[in-house]
Amino acid sequence: MFTVRGIVTALAATASLFSTSVHAEFQTRQLRKPDVHARQVEAAKRWSNSHVRRSTGVQNITFSNPKASEFFVNGSAIPEVDFDVGPSWSGLLPISGNKNETRQLFFWFFPPGPGGSLDDLIFWTNGGPGCSSMEGFLQENGPFSWAVGEAKPTPNEFSWTNLSSVLWVEQPVGTGFSQGKPNINNEDDLAAQLVGFLQQFLIVFPEMKTKKLYLTGESYAGTYVPYIANYIYTHPGVVDLNLQGILISDPSLSWKWCKKKSRCRLRPQVENVFSFNQSFMAELDATAAKVLSHCQGNPLSRQRMDVWDTIFNAALIVNPAFNIYRIFDTFPVLWDVLGFPGSFPQAQTPLYFNRTDVKKAIHAPLDVNWAECSDINVFPKGDQSLPPAFTVLPNVIEKNNRTVIVHGLADFILIAEGTRIVIQNMTWGGLQGFQTPIANDSFIVDGVGALGTIHTERGLTYFEVELSGHMVPQFSPKAAFQIMQYLMGFRSTP
């Protein structure tokens, strides 16, 4: 059996033998920086988005309601963006038609790019609860990107606007630029307010009515999205859109202890990333069976449930820059224009969405101190809903055309093994869990090859993406784009 360590050792031994028998000029293999760069450029071509037309701008949509012009954003006048992203619309809309309504949600809407569909609408929300969808817009799936470590915004060739229109919404009330006093108690309240917002959105932008709707989001949106979908399905005609399916990425689906703290056995592929010593690994192995037993319903003391914190604390000792959102990160911690570089916060001043010129350009309230994740409790008394895997998700899967769950394998805040456990303990379509095993190396990314796993049964498709952290559209954008193509029926197989 060959191992990476064995191969490296063999190569080193071969190099040593070779160096003793040839001229000195061949003793050391030299690779110049231009050669390295050339190889990187060639490799990057495999990641290019060959499915997108190579042109800028968007398909403009003319809106008949004069009020729509109040939300128009000039795509050539967005601060720091030195290219024209085309027309878009953003601002605040109320969650109801009541004339005294004070609760408003902030949105940014883009029509599709030149090769996108005019018949579809993607809705995106971040999680938290209380984290802004402007993070998803600027660093994951929006038409321009300002990623961590970048000096300025760049065009995003993997923008989901290359598939269809996209609507990013900061919700619930209390998130980002959104206005009003939070008053929701559970996910049904959240869904009702979001649907109320969509009703107001369709009044201002009536040409979006009857579009095929796809609800998407990540993290705690794994709870939001199934409840929103279920609300739409259980209230026929409540919104003039045709819900087709959902995508939830690195989702919160079950109890926190069972989805996060239940996995103490690290995958062999990432053990060396954590750099734990053998005695600590043995301790984790000894605890694994006990914690898993508790997830399956057997009693276990709460003290034994603190495995996740134990791993996190140990990881920080070895690597103070350890990032729970992407376990590969080390020093230096890269500068983030949104001010949220994983587990190691830095102070950026000003944050991009806190700049007055940015607020003016996108019709955001000038008096709001924007933060990526709100310090306001958007559920004042806590979210009183049960996790969606126990309640609404099975019904949503059965009613959707397609349901997609995605998980990045370099995520530590929510870990893929926990999502697998949730799926295996969930019943939908008359059966519990997947009936056949998930095959390794089964997710093939176009032009790249195997980049994880995929499994489909009874309307649910589950993806695992290698090398991706918590935010899959950010860390593996081509994979996320291909997954969205499948969700929307633009490709027949994943």
Side-chain angles (χ1 to χ4, degrees):
M1 174 69 71
F2 288 105
T3 65
V4 172
R5 180 176 296 178
I7 293 172
V8 171
T9 301
L11 287 173
T14 302
S16 177
L17 291 170
F18 185 72
S19 66
T20 63
S21 59
V22 297
H23 193 271
E25 66 179 293
F26 297 112
Q27 287 186 3
T28 303
R29 179 176 179 85
Q30 296 185 1
L31 197 61
R32 299 177 302 116
K33 286 185 178 179
D35 297 329
V36 173
H37 181 66
R39 292 191 187 189
Q40 290 173 326
V41 170
E42 188 61 30
K45 292 178 181 178
R46 296 171 62 86
W47 283 89
S48 65
N49 198 345
S50 59
H51 296 282
V52 176
R53 285 173 51 185
R54 302 291 178 177
S55 56
T56 59
V58 300
Q59 297 184 56
N60 198 5
I61 303 175
T62 301
F63 294 111
S64 57
N65 188 339
K67 187 174 177 61
S69 62
E70 300 174 14
F71 299 92
F72 180 77
V73 176
N74 183 350
S76 62
I78 299 174
E80 306 298 336
V81 181
D82 57 8
F83 49 92
D84 188 355
V85 299
S88 62
W89 292 260
S90 66
L92 292 163
L93 280 173
I95 64 167
S96 77
N98 299 333
K99 65 178 182 179
N100 295 323
E101 182 63 76
T102 58
R103 295 162 298 176
Q104 299 175 298
L105 302 182
F106 183 82
F107 73 94
W108 200 340
F109 167 79
F110 266 80
S117 167
L118 288 167
D119 299 324
D120 303 273
L121 173 64
I122 299 170
F123 164 89
W124 172 270
T125 179
N126 280 76
C131 290
S132 168
S133 298
M134 292 300 98
E135 188 274 330
F137 174 90
L138 193 62
Q139 293 187 336
E140 297 190 61
N141 50 24
F144 63 91
S145 174
W146 199 338
V148 174
E150 285 189 329
K152 65 177 185 176
T154 57
N156 181 9
E157 67 174 320
F158 297 104
S159 171
W160 290 3
T161 56
N162 289 323
L163 296 168
S164 75
S165 299
V166 186
L167 175 64
W168 291 267
V169 181
E170 291 186 313
Q171 65 87 46
V173 170
T175 303
F177 289 122
S178 295
Q179 301 283 283
K181 184 177 180 180
N183 67 340
I184 57 175
N185 295 311
N186 54 47
E187 294 293 329
D188 289 326
D189 292 344
L190 178 145
Q193 291 190 359
L194 190 276
V195 166
F197 162 85
L198 290 175
Q199 292 169 342
Q200 299 305 304
F201 177 82
L202 293 175
I203 290 174
V204 178
F205 305 97
E207 284 72 16
M208 298 308 298
K209 289 181 179 180
T210 73
K211 302 296 185 186
K212 290 181 286 186
L213 175 65
Y214 299 88
L215 299 173
T216 69
E218 71 188 10
S219 197
Y220 203 79
T223 298
Y224 294 161
V225 167
Y227 271 95
I228 296 169
N230 187 71
Y231 188 92
I232 292 174
Y233 281 133
T234 56
H235 296 78
V238 71
V239 63
D240 195 1
L241 293 166
N242 297 315
L243 180 56
Q244 303 293 305
I246 68 171
L247 176 148
I248 43 180
S249 180
D250 292 63
S252 175
L253 296 174
S254 182
W255 299 115
K256 187 173 291 186
W257 52 262
C258 198
K259 66 177 185 287
K260 184 171 76 172
K261 297 187 178 182
S262 65
R263 284 91 56 215
C264 53
R265 182 68 176 110
L266 303 175
R267 290 193 172 194
Q269 302 96 312
V270 301
E271 286 183 4
N272 291 336
V273 174
F274 284 83
S275 299
F276 294 148
N277 60 43
Q278 293 305 303
S279 61
F280 184 73
M281 290 301 300
E283 178 185 340
L284 293 181
D285 287 342
T287 309
K290 297 177 183 179
V291 179
L292 181 59
S293 174
H294 185 59
C295 264
Q296 293 172 339
N298 298 321
L300 185 67
S301 68
R302 189 150 189 75
Q303 287 75 15
R304 292 176 181 173
M305 294 306 302
D306 294 331
V307 179
W308 188 92
D309 297 292
T310 300
I311 296 174
F312 184 31
N313 291 336
L316 288 173
I317 292 173
V318 178
N319 172 22
F322 178 76
N323 183 357
I324 56 176
Y325 297 100
R326 185 170 60 172
I327 61 173
F328 304 122
D329 289 5
T330 58
F331 282 126
V333 177
L334 300 180
W335 180 82
D336 184 355
V337 73
L338 296 183
F340 194 69
S343 310
F344 201 92
Q346 293 178 323
Q348 280 88 44
T349 305
L351 303 184
Y352 184 71
F353 287 110
N354 238 353
R355 292 172 44 162
T356 299
D357 57 348
V358 174
K359 293 177 181 178
K360 289 181 178 180
I362 62 175
H363 315 298
L366 299 180
D367 59 345
V368 170
N369 184 30
W370 185 91
E372 185 168 348
C373 291
S374 175
D375 57 3
I376 298 173
N377 192 343
V378 296
F379 292 91
K381 298 179 181 179
D383 186 352
Q384 299 171 26
S385 293
L386 290 172
F390 302 148
T391 53
V392 299
L393 183 55
N395 178 58
V396 170
I397 294 171
E398 292 164 6
K399 288 183 168 56
N400 282 338
N401 288 340
R402 287 178 176 172
T403 298
V404 169
I405 297 175
V406 187
H407 215 110
L409 292 179
D411 184 4
F412 187 65
I413 185 67
L414 292 168
I415 306 177
E417 281 82 352
T419 297
R420 284 195 180 203
I421 291 172
V422 172
I423 292 173
Q424 286 309 110
N425 284 277
M426 182 174 65
T427 298
W428 76 98
L431 296 170
Q432 179 178 321
F434 289 141
Q435 301 295 296
T436 57
I438 299 174
N440 291 334
D441 295 332
S442 48
F443 178 35
I444 309 300
V445 175
D446 294 340
V448 177
L451 200 68
T453 69
I454 180 175
H455 194 81
T456 299
E457 288 189 30
R458 308 188 308 282
L460 172 62
T461 301
Y462 175 61
F463 292 84
E464 290 175 338
V465 184
E466 297 278 2
L467 301 180
S468 177
H470 186 67
M471 299 77 113
V472 176
Q474 176 178 356
F475 297 129
S476 194
K478 183 168 187 175
F481 190 90
Q482 184 170 316
I483 292 168
M484 277 301 298
Q485 286 179 310
Y486 172 71
L487 174 69
M488 301 177 74
F490 296 162
R491 56 192 302 147
S492 58
T493 60

